[in-house]
């Protein structure tokens, strides 16, 4: 239960509705500013060559081996197990080749 000044706001009264609308508008403004700053930070990091996210476990060498084994008829499950990656990761990187 709310106590103090917020508990005394009556949303049924005109001044209470006004107060709630002002608080809501301030919260919306603050959220917009946070999103703008976050986007600016991500753009600045990208401009400096930094990328976010987890590094991929599949590089070109692993992908070449996977494609060769797939061409020989080996199952994706067996290839994934041998290369130490998940089937989903392998399917994602093989794309239409699988």
């Amino acid at each position: 239960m709310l106590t103090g000044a917020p508990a005394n706001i009556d949303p049924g009264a005109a001044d209470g509705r006004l107060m709630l609308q002002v608080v809501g508008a301030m919260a919306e403004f603050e959220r917009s500013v946070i999103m703008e700053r976050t986007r600016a930070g991500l753009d600045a990091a990208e401009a400096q060559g930094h990328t976010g996210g987890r590094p991929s476990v599949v590089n070109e060498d692993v992908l070449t081996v996977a494609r060769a084994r797939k061409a020989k008829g080996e199952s994706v499950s067996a290839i994934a197990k041998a290369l130490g990656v998940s089937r989903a990761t392998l399917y994602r990187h093989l794309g239409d080749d699988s």
Side-chain angles (χ1 to χ4, degrees):
M1 176 162 225
L2 289 176
T3 59
N8 297 329
I9 297 175
D10 179 15
D15 59 343
R17 284 193 305 273
L18 173 64
M19 186 62 186
L20 290 175
Q21 288 176 348
V22 169
V23 170
M26 292 297 292
E28 186 178 347
F29 170 74
E30 184 177 0
R31 181 67 186 135
S32 295
V33 169
I34 290 170
M35 288 189 318
E36 288 173 7
R37 288 180 182 164
T38 301
R39 184 76 257 157
L42 290 172
D43 291 343
E46 186 178 346
Q48 294 176 2
H50 299 285
T51 57
R54 186 175 178 163
S56 179
V57 295
V58 178
N59 56 27
E60 276 304 314
D61 295 336
V62 170
L63 199 52
T64 302
V65 170
R67 284 187 179 128
R69 292 176 84 158
K70 180 71 176 149
K72 290 180 184 176
E74 194 170 344
S75 73
V76 173
S77 295
I79 298 168
K81 188 173 183 179
L83 296 177
V85 299
S86 72
R87 283 188 346 223
T89 299
L90 201 52
Y91 276 119
R92 187 178 324 112
H93 286 281
L94 286 176
D96 293 332
D97 298 345
S98 57

